[in-house]
Amino acid sequence: MRTHSYGLLVALLTGAVCSAQVGRAQTVLQVPTAAYPTIQKALDAAVDGTIVRVGRGTYTEDFTLATGVTVQGEETAETFLSGTVDAVAGGGGTLERFTVEGPAWKFSRAQGLVIRNCVVSGGPVNGVAITVENSTDTEIVNNVFTDNGTALKLGNVDGFFSSGKVLANAFVGNGTALLAPMPLVTKSHNLFAGNAVDEHTGDAPVFADSGFVDPAAGDFHLLAGSGCIDAVPADTLADPDGSPADCGAYGGPGQDPNPRQVTGLVVTGSADDSAALSWTADANYLVTGYLLHYGTASGVYDGIGAAQGDSPVPVPGGGTASGSLSNLAVHSIPPPAPAGLVAGPGDASIFLSWDAAAGATGYTVVYGTESGVYTTERDAGSSTSLALGELTNGVTYYLAVRPYAASTYFLAVGATGTAPAGTGAAPEGRLATEQTVSLQRIEGDLSAEVTETPGEVSGYPALDNGGFCFLRTLSPLRTLSRGGLGAAAAGMLLLLGAAVSARRGGGHHLLTVLLGTAWLATAGAARAEHPRWSLDARAGAFWPGAGQWGEHYDSGVLPELKLGVGYRPTPRLEFGAEAGYRRAEGTVRTTDGGRPLVQGLDQTLTVMPLQGYALVRLQSSERQLLVPFLAAGLSSYLYQHEVAGDRRARGRQDGYHARAGVHLSLYPFDPRAADRSRRQYGLLGSGLTLEGQYARVDDFGAADDDLGGWSLSVGLNLRF
């Protein structure tokens, strides 16, 4: 009793000193956090008395212990070290509650080194897992050493003497358990089992079955009847409950008191107001029972009113593997019928949406091919929309929604251990993975019936599938190009005009022919004098003019690329042609009563604008810095529309455009370089172009949707 009182007094005094020291510094440094992402980072900031608490996980870093600082794993079985640990000469530190994998650690000239309540395994076959040499006051207490070549070595080198104690460890399944011949190192009450060589076993060794729960799974807790239990007299070392200390990582005052996380939790049955559960029993002899947690929100276990009691409900007996809850509160009032049910057609599918019903926790969609006869049902869960697939196109379906109220409970179980002496509070391990159970389900009335007929989805916009061959579209230009690029550009303009005339009548034919004829005439005249060619490369943004674009595509602004060539019969007049590229991606939608229904089908629209134009520059000389310009012309947009990866439409849509902008000449900035480019490369001028354009491309009012819109682009212009 005097020894126990003295030990208690020392512990209290030590705690007071530590508390005073911690009071001057940060008590606990948590790893990993933003401030301390590594163990070494925390050790660098630690002072005497600090605890560096390391969260569950695997740590491969190397670090150096600090004197007076404890590095503590959050859970022995779930906090792994696989790096190298060292201590400074003349210093020490404490390492506790870790699973150490594959160590080959060597401590030299340390003072006050403490390693306790760790599992040390997988050390080198022909080496030593932990070596401590020329060190004083070393404590190796309550550890498990298993599957190492040589588990632990304490020795003297070059006339130095080592001192310390090796107490209450379990050496199991090693090559050599312990090498510690020095008389100043006390060795007592260690368990030895299954080692090839047991030397220096010291005082009161225990030769018995270790009785670990499941060492293959890393569980080194003790089974009932283990030789490790109560192996150390209480006046030498005591467990937290005051009983004689156990050998191994889960014995002694510094042990991890919490049982392992419960596994295997499942709901085995339920009725209107009750649920039955089972789990895998924890064979740890210190597990005294379980706590069954319940509640109506995930992770919030504040349930009340069960016949077994409010949450958490105690389930006594460590070997117990089941429990139940009854008389749980459930819904008793059916929810009202949902309003606002709307349906939209898809390809072999129908898309439904409705308003939430008060008190409903879920919905069932029912449907059939006759009014009021619902042969199929689908559970939508808590969602207020549902896509029905695998339907038949062209068949009319009758659909309704029925709400229900189901009482859902969230359940978890934790194991409880032995309460430390004088506290009365049993430690609880981590909770099992949460399970849910739905109890009594009350259904409400059906919604109003709606009808819908699935069919092939064309997407947006609704484009004609007229088809086009790009090479055939360009083939007339190959003939015209023999007369020069100017004639080819004129041919492009004529081609656009002819296409418009063929589809819409001759309203625009005369304008196109007049422009083309004038161009050819000026081109022919200019060729003999001094032709001026213009090349443009621009990039910018395009804002579609179609009214419902934003409902169907991911972005209301599209990137755009443009390449153009022009011929200038005079410095102020230019005729040309250009091609562009745009691509839009989105999701097919339909609307009913102004309410969009997401149909879940991806769509892609690729557009290649081809345009012929006449442009007028407000220019007085080639060296003018800023040159405004105006242009107008005809547009022919080639498009390809795909829905869910299938091509639904390909064709061409025509229209017109107008543009305005400004050209910034680069000549005034470096006239010498400009003159050199003129002589060497025939480059008569260069500059930057900023241009805005409006296009209306709806087959001159005949198409349902306009492919045109507004665009703004910037680029480089070269003149030859």
Side-chain angles (χ1 to χ4, degrees):
M1 182 62 68
R2 286 195 300 271
T3 303
H4 178 74
S5 300
Y6 174 76
L8 179 60
L9 177 60
V10 171
L12 290 174
L13 290 174
T14 303
V17 172
C18 291
S19 298
Q21 291 174 332
V22 172
R24 294 194 301 269
Q26 194 168 8
T27 304
V28 175
L29 304 182
Q30 185 69 44
V31 177
T33 58
Y36 308 109
T38 65
I39 298 172
Q40 187 61 63
K41 195 77 172 179
L43 284 166
D44 292 342
V47 297
D48 191 15
T50 298
I51 296 175
V52 175
R53 183 160 296 151
V54 183
R56 300 179 187 92
T58 299
Y59 300 83
T60 59
E61 64 172 295
D62 302 338
F63 60 88
T64 301
L65 296 173
T67 302
V69 176
T70 297
V71 180
Q72 181 186 88
E74 182 178 1
E75 184 177 346
T76 304
E78 299 293 338
T79 314
F80 301 91
L81 292 180
S82 59
T84 299
V85 178
D86 197 3
V88 296
T94 299
L95 184 76
E96 63 182 19
R97 300 185 187 177
F98 286 94
T99 294
V100 181
E101 298 181 317
W105 297 352
K106 186 174 184 178
F107 298 91
S108 182
R109 301 190 181 186
Q111 182 176 5
L113 171 67
V114 178
I115 299 176
R116 64 189 178 201
N117 298 104
C118 292
V119 175
V120 181
S121 67
V125 174
N126 297 315
V128 182
I130 297 179
T131 300
V132 184
E133 61 184 21
N134 299 344
S135 300
T136 58
D137 300 323
T138 301
E139 294 186 13
I140 310 296
V141 180
N142 277 120
N143 301 285
V144 170
F145 291 89
T146 184
D147 194 28
N148 303 286
T150 295
L152 177 64
K153 178 181 179 182
L154 285 84
N156 302 325
V157 179
D158 299 331
F160 286 89
F161 291 94
S162 295
S163 65
K165 62 181 178 181
V166 179
L167 174 65
N169 300 282
F171 295 93
V172 180
N174 302 282
T176 298
L178 174 62
L179 292 176
M182 300 77 61
L184 295 180
V185 176
T186 62
K187 305 167 285 293
S188 66
H189 302 94
N190 297 290
L191 179 138
F192 298 88
N195 305 295
V197 178
D198 291 328
E199 283 191 85
H200 310 121
T201 55
D203 299 330
V206 178
F207 297 98
D209 184 3
S210 58
F212 297 136
V213 170
D214 190 356
D219 190 348
F220 291 90
H221 288 90
L222 305 179
L223 295 166
S226 165
C228 292
I229 296 174
D230 295 343
V232 186
D235 57 357
T236 300
L237 192 69
D239 281 341
D241 63 354
S243 65
D246 298 341
C247 288
Y250 295 97
Q255 66 177 268
D256 176 3
N258 299 317
R260 297 199 72 177
Q261 182 182 27
V262 171
T263 60
L265 178 62
V266 294
V267 177
T268 57
S270 62
D272 287 347
D273 65 351
S274 63
L277 303 93
S278 69
W279 56 87
T280 302
D282 193 331
N284 176 5
Y285 91 102
L286 291 175
V287 170
T288 58
Y290 301 88
L291 292 176
L292 200 165
H293 301 256
Y294 67 97
T296 56
S298 179
V300 181
Y301 306 116
D302 57 358
I304 60 174
Q308 291 76 12
D310 297 340
S311 180
V313 174
V315 180
T320 304
S322 62
S324 62
L325 296 168
S326 60
N327 197 37
L328 294 169
V330 295
H331 291 282
S332 59
I333 301 176
L341 177 62
V342 292
D347 191 356
S349 58
I350 293 176
F351 305 88
L352 296 169
S353 177
W354 58 90
D355 297 330
T361 61
Y363 304 88
T364 302
V365 173
V366 296
Y367 61 96
T369 55
E370 296 181 36
S371 178
V373 180
Y374 307 119
T375 57
T376 309
E377 64 178 42
R378 286 272 306 277
D379 190 350
S382 60
S383 176
T384 55
S385 63
L386 185 67
L388 300 174
E390 300 182 356
L391 304 179
T392 303
N393 286 340
V395 174
T396 298
Y397 289 86
Y398 299 81
L399 311 102
V401 176
R402 177 183 288 114
Y404 61 82
S407 300
T408 299
Y409 280 86
F410 298 84
L411 312 170
V413 173
T416 55
T418 302
T423 65
E428 183 180 12
R430 284 189 296 147
L431 299 183
T433 302
E434 182 180 84
Q435 301 294 307
T436 60
V437 60
S438 293
L439 303 181
Q440 178 173 302
R441 175 162 144 172
I442 298 180
E443 295 185 335
D445 294 332
L446 281 173
S447 68
E449 185 180 81
V450 297
T451 61
E452 189 55 83
T453 304
E456 184 175 311
V457 176
S458 60
Y460 181 86
L463 299 171
D464 293 336
N465 188 21
F468 68 81
C469 176
F470 186 61
L471 294 177
R472 184 178 298 172
T473 302
L474 297 180
S475 61
L477 301 185
R478 295 193 302 176
T479 302
L480 291 171
S481 65
R482 297 171 185 171
L485 188 56
M492 174 67 78
L493 190 60
L494 287 171
L495 176 64
L496 295 175
V500 172
S501 300
R503 298 179 65 176
R504 301 287 167 253
H508 303 277
H509 183 64
L510 179 60
L511 173 61
T512 305
V513 172
L514 289 175
L515 288 173
T517 302
W519 192 357
L520 287 172
T522 56
R527 187 181 302 112
E529 298 173 2
H530 186 68
R532 296 174 180 262
W533 303 98
S534 176
L535 296 178
D536 274 290
R538 299 193 306 280
F542 174 75
W543 289 265
Q548 298 179 13
W549 187 274
E551 296 181 11
H552 297 268
Y553 290 95
D554 297 337
S555 175
V557 182
L558 304 180
E560 180 178 47
L561 297 176
K562 293 182 178 181
L563 293 174
V565 59
Y567 178 75
R568 301 172 65 189
T570 72
R572 296 183 179 180
L573 181 62
E574 178 179 317
F575 297 98
E578 70 176 20
Y581 178 82
R582 305 174 194 142
R583 180 182 174 90
E585 297 179 348
T587 303
V588 178
R589 297 171 182 253
T590 60
T591 59
D592 193 332
R595 181 176 176 173
L597 296 174
V598 180
Q599 297 194 353
L601 297 179
D602 294 334
Q603 62 175 339
T604 301
L605 178 62
T606 304
V607 178
M608 181 180 290
L610 302 177
Q611 301 189 129
Y613 64 86
L615 180 147
V616 176
R617 301 176 185 274
L618 305 180
Q619 182 178 10
S620 58
S621 74
E622 284 294 323
R623 298 185 179 184
Q624 183 175 327
L625 179 62
L626 293 175
V627 181
F629 61 85
L630 300 171
L634 299 174
S635 302
S636 186
Y637 283 17
L638 309 181
Y639 59 79
Q640 180 167 294
H641 191 194
E642 296 179 352
V643 177
D646 295 329
R647 192 183 76 204
R648 298 299 171 87
R650 173 186 275 186
R652 186 183 78 235
Q653 204 156 287
D654 301 322
Y656 58 86
H657 71 274
R659 65 177 84 174
V662 62
H663 175 79
L664 173 65
S665 175
L666 298 180
Y667 181 89
F669 295 98
D670 195 345
R672 292 184 179 180
D675 291 337
R676 186 165 56 251
S677 298
R678 181 191 298 264
R679 291 191 304 270
Q680 294 180 356
Y681 308 111
L683 182 64
L684 302 180
S686 62
L688 301 178
T689 300
L690 176 66
E691 177 185 284
Q693 174 180 289
Y694 171 73
R696 186 173 182 86
V697 185
D698 59 355
D699 278 347
F700 303 97
D704 294 330
D705 295 294
D706 181 11
L707 289 181
W710 294 90
S711 65
L712 183 65
S713 60
V714 62
L716 180 66
N717 174 269
L718 303 176
R719 300 188 300 279
F720 296 89

